[in-house]
Amino acid sequence: MSMDLPPALEARIAGLAPLVRARCFDAPRHVTRPVMPPLEEYTDLLRGVWDRRWLTNDGELHQRLERELEIHLGVKHASLFCNGTLSLLVALQALDLRMGEVITTPFTFPATTNVLHWNRLRPIFCDLDPVTLNISPERVEAAFTDQTRAILAVHVYGQPCDVAALRDLGAQHGVPVVYDAAHAFGVQLDGRPLLEWGDVSSLSFHATKLFTTGEGGALVTADTALDRRIRSLKNFGIADEETVLAPGINAKMSELSAAFGLLRLRDVNAEIAARAEVTAAYRRVLDGVPGLTLPPQPKNVALNHSYFPILVDAAAFGLDRDELYGALRLFNVIARKYFYPLTSHYEWDRCYPSADPANLPVAERAALQVLCLPVYGELGAADAGAIGEIITELHRAARP
Amino acid sequence: MSMDLPPALEARIAGLAPLVRARCFDAPRHVTRPVMPPLEEYTDLLRGVWDRRWLTNDGELHQRLERELEIHLGVKHASLFCNGTLSLLVALQALDLRMGEVITTPFTFPATTNVLHWNRLRPIFCDLDPVTLNISPERVEAAFTDQTRAILAVHVYGQPCDVAALRDLGAQHGVPVVYDAAHAFGVQLDGRPLLEWGDVSSLSFHATKLFTTGEGGALVTADTALDRRIRSLKNFGIADEETVLAPGINAKMSELSAAFGLLRLRDVNAEIAARAEVTAAYRRVLDGVPGLTLPPQPKNVALNHSYFPILVDAAAFGLDRDELYGALRLFNVIARKYFYPLTSHYEWDRCYPSADPANLPVAERAALQVLCLPVYGELGAADAGAIGEIITELHRAARP
């Protein structure tokens, strides 16, 4: 690790160089790291694929993974996709929304807002609940017009949206509620799967996610007719050898990915338990540090501990979020400004009146304050505690 | 194999039952079958992925496969995709075409026309050259309007389009030429890669393709700025950690697929050679059978022998295409009506004036007459010859 510290940061933080020398990790602690299934077991599972010579198009492992996901997640239908962007794109197409507006959040990954663009739908950005950082039902209610076609909400960091309120608003206005549940694998609300809520929810199985197939995703729904339409649309809209129902796309998952998923699914609860220890270690050290807001722990929610986003208030903490991000890198801790910037800042989205920062004060502040700390089971409570100590010492040094 | 022959077909074909008894394959001969790399070598290659814990986002094997494809195909830039539909979708987005028309062919797989829909571009269907079944330059020329934004042509069955004429038309009207080259892996024209032609070409690596990664695809281009834009767009439009350039999508290929591709690339020329023997065997038996048109073999083209489409003239052959397709199934020969129907018949496309069947007589006839016979290396010349004999005997029996 180089000791060439940024002079501006060194000047702001008393005694940074000795602190780095004492605390720096010998290898990078990235924001996340995928768990790999035993390679021998992966090979064993592929033997059948090799025998069948069936690599994609609803293969045997693909079917098995869909059935096992339905059981594991407690949902009626799970349909696999090549990734979690295409699944969300197809969800919107499957709902057959006419051109118009979709009420959504700007505090998300580009995919959420981009799939509206691909579906010829205009985003109406609305502001967040300051605690969960999810879309605020009051703001949703105020955003309805006669052009509203759907609500597209995100369970950010696996924190449940106010699902009952959103359901009521959707029903009241006769529009579906779609969840980008990329972060919400396995989350329970009041002892039930969070994924039961909404007309359809989209999961991501990207390598950075709790449950991964390398690239991958899924749609879950309780609506059998919608599920059937989804399955056709992800395969070009093909219904049978001579019939195409709609201008679909190819969003199919291959057997190579499904095999990986089957093995990971077996161990995903162990990974959640290990991540719970990591987030608990962060909480033990960071709870009460001035200027830091830790993620909420609602009593009626079983979180999946996928992320540990902290909000950094510069005045109270002594460093702003970007300074803390830069300082942590000196210690080989690679945190992530996630989500930053807001999608409402993109050139093609900021033209909408709802993208005005004045309309989105909570989201604007969150994007500037949020920092996701490393979370993955193997990191362990000891390393998480050490990262927490580094953050605490940075605070002490910056606000002596 | 059941001997319950369709009575109508039995009546049309004298002595069908004894013929089926004598000639039926004991196991299905599907239209294609993927070649699998040795599973041990696949596992060996994955060992590095497991060590690196890097499953996607421009992984090491992904980079290697791109470099090896560039060398193998003789192209400047090859960019990998999760499938060949997303690659074509991103190609059109990368060219930054304003809303308008794209001159294209209706004789193709749904993907080609569907990606126009996703890019808010209107297809202008034009008719085919009756020999190659590719878009006819004369018809392209007549289709230009002030709304024309691009030419999207398909090298069907790996038969090259009239690339020089299309280049000239594109240049004359100031619009790019895009090739759906899903069938054209490794095809040479005048001793040069066919993929050198056009502004960008899209390949498919689906399991049914000559070169496969299970699901997969690629874009090839000689335009370095376009390649850079393509790489950003397939990863959400992200340029760096804090910059998103355009409303891109996720179309990334994972390491699991790239590893498969690296091993298949090594042997793809052997597969082409084996398929050449299969198509040669078909030609030996079927050449001269009344009512059948075999695919052309232009002297200046090195085909990849991916497909063997025959055109069935019912009056001269004695059976129409659908009857021949049905009759072959009785022999356990699973041919494919590919492409049928035309994409201009889809409900959402047939509204365009250019979709009028009167505008597309060659394409309409081809879609009703074409039948792709099984082609894959392992089929072997003996089985291909036997399938050819079955077809010949069906002709004799139907036109005694």
Side-chain angles (χ1 to χ4, degrees):
Chain A
M1 192 67 201
S2 159
M3 277 295 99
D4 293 338
L5 301 176
L9 205 57
E10 178 71 47
R12 299 258 297 107
I13 306 176
L16 183 56
L19 191 61
V20 172
R21 267 193 300 275
R23 293 280 195 175
C24 183
F25 287 98
D26 54 357
R29 298 301 189 264
H30 289 284
V31 72
T32 190
R33 196 171 192 213
V35 182
M36 311 297 278
L39 184 53
E40 303 66 42
E41 293 185 43
Y42 183 64
T43 307
D44 281 346
L45 206 43
L46 289 184
R47 236 174 278 283
V49 178
W50 257 243
D51 290 343
R52 289 186 292 274
R53 307 272 198 98
W54 193 270
L55 279 163
T56 183
N57 291 53
D58 206 25
E60 191 171 312
L61 300 186
H62 184 281
Q63 290 180 26
R64 261 182 64 192
L65 182 54
E66 288 186 340
R67 292 304 80 75
E68 294 196 15
L69 279 170
E70 286 162 0
I71 293 164
H72 182 95
L73 296 170
V75 298
K76 190 161 176 197
H77 300 291
S79 179
L80 289 168
F81 279 76
C82 62
N83 62 56
T85 303
L86 272 290
S87 54
L88 197 55
L89 176 131
V90 166
L92 293 171
Q93 187 185 22
L95 289 167
D96 207 10
L97 311 173
R98 301 290 144 196
M99 276 189 252
E101 301 168 353
V102 171
I103 300 172
T104 191
T105 172
F107 188 64
T108 187
F109 195 65
T112 318
T113 310
N114 286 2
V115 298
L116 294 175
H117 166 88
W118 286 105
N119 278 283
R120 310 176 195 208
L121 294 159
R122 295 189 300 282
I124 299 295
F125 296 109
C126 82
D127 208 12
L128 313 181
D129 176 291
V131 175
T132 64
L133 304 180
N134 288 321
I135 204 169
S136 150
E138 291 71 35
R139 303 300 303 269
V140 170
E141 186 162 23
F144 274 97
T145 74
D146 60 356
Q147 295 290 304
T148 306
R149 301 289 179 260
I151 298 168
L152 171 55
V154 183
H155 301 299
V156 285
Y157 315 121
Q159 295 281 351
C161 292
D162 187 343
V163 288
L166 294 178
R167 176 201 55 197
D168 292 347
L169 285 168
Q172 196 181 316
H173 292 270
V175 302
V177 180
V178 180
Y179 285 107
D180 182 342
H183 292 183
F185 189 99
V187 173
Q188 302 272 316
L189 176 67
D190 296 321
R192 304 282 314 163
L194 178 58
L195 298 171
E196 283 185 344
W197 292 86
D199 292 85
V200 54
S201 294
S202 175
L203 291 161
S204 166
F205 303 154
H206 185 260
T208 54
K209 296 299 188 292
L210 168 67
F211 170 76
T212 179
T213 57
E215 291 279 353
L219 288 180
V220 304
T221 182
D223 179 336
T224 302
L226 185 63
D227 178 67
R228 213 165 21 235
R229 195 167 153 80
I230 284 165
R231 287 171 191 280
S232 156
L233 290 174
K234 75 177 176 185
N235 187 30
F236 307 103
I238 291 173
D240 62 44
E241 218 178 314
E242 301 183 3
T243 315
V244 181
L245 294 175
I249 205 158
N250 182 5
K252 301 190 301 290
M253 178 184 279
S254 81
E255 292 289 90
L256 304 176
S257 302
F260 196 98
L262 278 166
L263 295 172
R264 285 305 308 134
L265 191 56
R266 207 181 48 188
D267 295 327
V268 71
N269 283 340
E271 175 65 12
I272 292 177
R275 291 185 180 207
E277 293 187 24
V278 167
T279 60
Y282 279 132
R283 285 185 191 279
R284 277 195 296 276
V285 182
L286 295 176
D287 198 17
V289 172
L292 296 189
T293 304
L294 309 189
Q297 303 185 85
K299 288 224 178 336
N300 60 337
V301 177
L303 291 169
N304 64 14
H305 308 282
S306 277
Y307 297 91
F308 199 79
I310 58 173
L311 298 174
V312 183
D313 178 77
F317 182 74
L319 298 173
D320 68 22
R321 187 272 313 271
D322 288 357
E323 289 170 327
L324 177 57
Y325 167 85
L328 284 173
R329 290 187 75 100
L330 300 173
F331 293 86
N332 243 336
V333 175
I334 317 300
R336 190 172 177 201
K337 302 178 199 176
Y338 183 76
F339 306 103
Y340 170 82
L342 298 178
T343 65
S344 51
H345 283 219
Y346 301 154
E347 194 188 317
W348 52 96
D349 284 327
R350 64 181 175 224
C351 51
Y352 299 111
S354 65
D356 185 345
N359 181 49
L360 304 163
V362 180
E364 293 283 345
R365 192 173 61 244
L368 292 176
Q369 291 193 337
V370 74
L371 193 65
C372 282
L373 300 182
V375 178
Y376 48 97
E378 259 180 287
L379 180 69
D383 276 8
I387 293 170
E389 293 292 352
I390 290 168
I391 294 170
T392 308
E393 297 212 30
L394 285 168
H395 159 68
R396 286 198 199 107
R399 301 271 330 235
Chain B
M1 193 65 200
S2 159
M3 278 294 98
D4 293 337
L5 301 175
L9 205 57
E10 178 71 48
R12 299 259 297 108
I13 307 175
L16 183 56
L19 191 61
V20 171
R21 268 194 298 275
R23 293 280 195 176
C24 183
F25 286 98
D26 55 355
R29 299 301 189 264
H30 289 284
V31 72
T32 191
R33 196 171 192 213
V35 182
M36 311 296 279
L39 184 55
E40 304 66 41
E41 294 186 43
Y42 183 64
T43 306
D44 280 346
L45 205 44
L46 289 185
R47 235 174 278 283
V49 177
W50 258 242
D51 290 344
R52 288 186 292 276
R53 306 272 197 99
W54 193 269
L55 279 163
T56 184
N57 291 53
D58 206 25
E60 192 171 309
L61 300 186
H62 184 281
Q63 290 181 28
R64 263 181 63 192
L65 182 55
E66 287 187 340
R67 294 302 83 71
E68 293 196 15
L69 279 171
E70 286 162 359
I71 293 165
H72 182 96
L73 297 170
V75 297
K76 190 161 177 197
H77 300 291
S79 179
L80 288 169
F81 280 76
C82 62
N83 63 55
T85 304
L86 271 290
S87 55
L88 196 55
L89 176 132
V90 166
L92 292 172
Q93 187 185 24
L95 289 166
D96 208 9
L97 311 172
R98 300 291 146 195
M99 275 188 252
E101 301 167 353
V102 171
I103 300 173
T104 192
T105 173
F107 189 64
T108 187
F109 194 65
T112 318
T113 310
N114 286 3
V115 297
L116 293 174
H117 165 88
W118 287 104
N119 277 283
R120 308 175 197 212
L121 294 159
R122 295 188 301 279
I124 299 294
F125 296 110
C126 82
D127 208 12
L128 313 180
D129 175 291
V131 174
T132 64
L133 304 181
N134 287 322
I135 204 168
S136 150
E138 292 72 33
R139 302 299 303 267
V140 170
E141 187 161 22
F144 273 97
T145 73
D146 61 356
Q147 294 292 302
T148 307
R149 301 289 179 259
I151 298 168
L152 171 55
V154 183
H155 301 299
V156 284
Y157 315 122
Q159 295 281 350
C161 292
D162 187 343
V163 287
L166 294 179
R167 176 200 54 198
D168 292 347
L169 286 168
Q172 196 181 316
H173 293 269
V175 302
V177 181
V178 180
Y179 286 108
D180 181 343
H183 293 183
F185 189 98
V187 172
Q188 301 272 317
L189 176 67
D190 298 320
R192 305 281 314 162
L194 177 59
L195 297 172
E196 283 185 346
W197 292 86
D199 293 85
V200 55
S201 294
S202 175
L203 291 161
S204 166
F205 304 153
H206 185 260
T208 54
K209 296 298 190 290
L210 169 68
F211 171 76
T212 179
T213 56
E215 291 280 349
L219 288 180
V220 304
T221 182
D223 179 336
T224 301
L226 185 63
D227 178 67
R228 210 163 25 233
R229 195 166 152 78
I230 284 165
R231 286 171 192 280
S232 156
L233 289 174
K234 75 177 175 185
N235 187 30
F236 308 101
I238 291 172
D240 63 44
E241 218 178 313
E242 300 184 3
T243 316
V244 182
L245 294 176
I249 204 156
N250 181 6
K252 302 191 302 291
M253 178 185 278
S254 82
E255 292 290 89
L256 304 177
S257 301
F260 195 98
L262 279 166
L263 295 172
R264 285 305 308 135
L265 191 57
R266 207 183 48 188
D267 295 327
V268 71
N269 284 340
E271 175 64 13
I272 292 176
R275 290 185 180 206
E277 293 188 24
V278 167
T279 60
Y282 279 133
R283 285 185 190 280
R284 277 195 297 275
V285 181
L286 294 177
D287 199 16
V289 172
L292 296 189
T293 304
L294 309 188
Q297 304 185 85
K299 287 225 179 335
N300 60 337
V301 176
L303 292 169
N304 64 13
H305 307 283
S306 277
Y307 296 91
F308 199 79
I310 59 174
L311 297 174
V312 184
D313 178 77
F317 182 73
L319 298 173
D320 67 22
R321 186 272 314 270
D322 288 356
E323 288 171 327
L324 177 57
Y325 168 84
L328 284 173
R329 289 187 76 101
L330 301 173
F331 293 86
N332 243 337
V333 175
I334 318 300
R336 190 173 176 202
K337 302 178 199 177
Y338 184 73
F339 306 103
Y340 171 81
L342 297 178
T343 65
S344 51
H345 283 219
Y346 300 155
E347 193 189 319
W348 53 96
D349 284 326
R350 63 181 176 223
C351 50
Y352 298 113
S354 65
D356 185 346
N359 182 49
L360 304 164
V362 180
E364 293 283 346
R365 194 173 57 244
L368 291 176
Q369 291 193 335
V370 73
L371 193 64
C372 282
L373 302 182
V375 178
Y376 49 98
E378 258 181 287
L379 180 68
D383 276 7
I387 294 170
E389 293 292 352
I390 291 167
I391 294 170
T392 308
E393 297 211 32
L394 285 169
H395 160 66
R396 287 199 200 108
R399 300 273 329 234

